[in-house]
Amino acid sequence: MHPMLTIATRAARAAGQTIMRAYTELDRVEVSSKGINDFVTSVDKEAEATITYQIRKSYPDHTVIGEENGENRGENKDYVWIVDPLDGTNNFVRGIPHFAVSIAVQYKGKIEVAVIYDPVREELFSAVRGKGAKLNDFRMRVTNVNDLSNTMIGTGFPFKARQHTESYMAILSEVFPLCADIRRGGSAALDLAYVAAGRLDGFFEIGLKPWDIAAGDLICREAGGTVTDFMGAHNYMISGNIVAGSPKVTTQLVKTMRPLLNEGLKR
């Protein structure tokens, strides 16, 4: 196993233990608001500290970028760990058992190692660049479909980017009749992992952050998927607007969405 994958897995599982301990005592979890429908809990912070500790034990000079604590710069600028300690905080806070730990390792700007861990189901989605993607110990592949009919598409509402609500609803209205059904799970990391595992055929969302998608990006691509922004380009880590799926599904989603984009989504 790739040594950094070993550490990422260890860190994700340790954070998962922290999260599940708190999940059994939700009434004791401290919750504060970062914005409209955007929460942070004491568990997010504790899980991120657990992950950073595990990384620092093996790689004390690497840089760690976490959702809660920002950039923890190390002397080695080439290696950057991008961490979301609890993706799906809103689900967690309400007791909905659908959330995950997301960890990606970037080397000189490219994601090399990725782990998404669902501590409820004890499912570990992982990938190493050029080595394929796995769910626990089994290889994953995206679905092999040729068009949107009979597909299951994942999405997320733009609750942090409500200025795009009208465009998003137009896209949803156009996509829904073309596919079998649409799911909104509440964790972008798990949505991308589910695309890689063939549970979803495609996924799109507006306004995500790098820690939401860095790990899922590599896992999805290593499972044979295609990941783009809404224009079919590769600016999604900056714009946060992402489309992922089996290659033909991604192509058809982009083709369907492109005429409906406002100017703010064309980047």
Side-chain angles (χ1 to χ4, degrees), residues 5 8-9 11-13 16 82 84-88 98-105 113-127 133-136 140 187-197 199 210-220:
L5 179 59
T9 299
R13 290 191 185 279
I82 304 171
D84 191 339
L86 178 51
D87 186 63
H98 190 77
F99 41 80
V101 181
S102 177
I103 302 173
V105 186
V113 172
V115 165
I116 294 170
Y117 180 56
D118 177 347
V120 175
R121 300 171 186 85
E122 295 187 356
E123 291 185 329
L124 184 83
F125 304 85
S126 64
K134 288 184 176 182
L135 167 51
N136 293 336
M140 290 191 297
S187 167
L190 283 177
D191 286 332
L192 288 164
Y194 279 20
V195 170
R199 296 173 180 176
W211 45 79
D212 295 320
I213 56 181
D217 174 27
L218 181 65
I219 291 170
C220 191

Side-chain angles (χ1 to χ4, degrees), residues 228-250:
T228 74
D229 60 21
F230 285 7
M231 294 297 289
H234 298 283
N235 197 42
Y236 49 88
M237 287 292 282
I238 296 170
S239 71
N241 306 324
I242 189 170
V243 184
S246 54
K248 290 184 179 178
V249 167
T250 300

Side-chain angles (χ1 to χ4, degrees), residues 87-100:
D87 186 63
T89 300
N90 289 7
N91 283 347
F92 173 83
V93 166
R94 291 178 175 269
I96 299 170
H98 190 77
F99 41 80

Side-chain angles (χ1 to χ4, degrees), residues 49-265:
T50 298
I51 293 167
T52 301
Y53 171 74
Q54 292 290 340
I55 295 168
R56 286 269 181 258
K57 276 204 304 185
S58 297
Y59 302 105
D61 62 339
H62 287 189
T63 293
V64 180
I65 296 176
E67 178 176 9
E68 306 310 333
N69 294 322
E71 186 171 342
N72 189 334
R73 189 173 285 273
E75 292 179 10
N76 189 331
K77 308 298 189 296
D78 290 339
Y79 285 98
V80 179
W81 295 65
I82 304 171
V83 174
D84 191 339
L86 178 51
D87 186 63
T89 300
N90 289 7
N91 283 347
F92 173 83
V93 166
R94 291 178 175 269
I96 299 170
H98 190 77
F99 41 80
V101 181
S102 177
I103 302 173
V105 186
Q106 192 179 67
Y107 176 65
K108 292 186 175 180
K110 286 188 174 183
I111 304 295
E112 296 291 335
V113 172
V115 165
I116 294 170
Y117 180 56
D118 177 347
V120 175
R121 300 171 186 85
E122 295 187 356
E123 291 185 329
L124 184 83
F125 304 85
S126 64
V128 175
R129 178 180 288 276
K131 303 290 185 183
K134 288 184 176 182
L135 167 51
N136 293 336
D137 292 324
F138 298 95
R139 286 293 294 269
M140 290 191 297
R141 294 293 296 176
V142 297
T143 54
N144 183 22
V145 294
N146 293 318
D147 56 56
L148 290 179
S149 62
N150 297 318
T151 58
M152 184 84 77
I153 304 298
T155 190
F157 298 121
F159 67 92
K160 296 181 189 177
R162 292 178 185 251
Q163 70 273 22
H164 298 308
T165 299
E166 189 175 338
S167 291
Y168 174 81
M169 289 302 186
I171 291 167
L172 198 64
S173 296
E174 197 73 22
V175 170
F176 179 58
L178 300 176
C179 65
D181 208 349
I182 289 179
R183 290 287 180 271
R184 191 271 196 260
S187 167
L190 283 177
D191 286 332
L192 288 164
Y194 279 20
V195 170
R199 296 173 180 176
L200 294 171
D201 301 289
F203 166 71
F204 67 95
E205 189 164 349
I206 291 170
L208 294 170
K209 298 296 185 183
W211 45 79
D212 295 320
I213 56 181
D217 174 27
L218 181 65
I219 291 170
C220 191
R221 287 187 289 108
E222 285 295 325
T226 301
V227 184
T228 74
D229 60 21
F230 285 7
M231 294 297 289
H234 298 283
N235 197 42
Y236 49 88
M237 287 292 282
I238 296 170
S239 71
N241 306 324
I242 189 170
V243 184
S246 54
K248 290 184 179 178
V249 167
T250 300
T251 298
Q252 289 186 43
L253 283 174
V254 169
K255 184 180 178 182
T256 303
M257 295 162 64
R258 190 178 286 156
L260 305 169
L261 301 179
N262 61 38
E263 289 304 315
L265 295 175

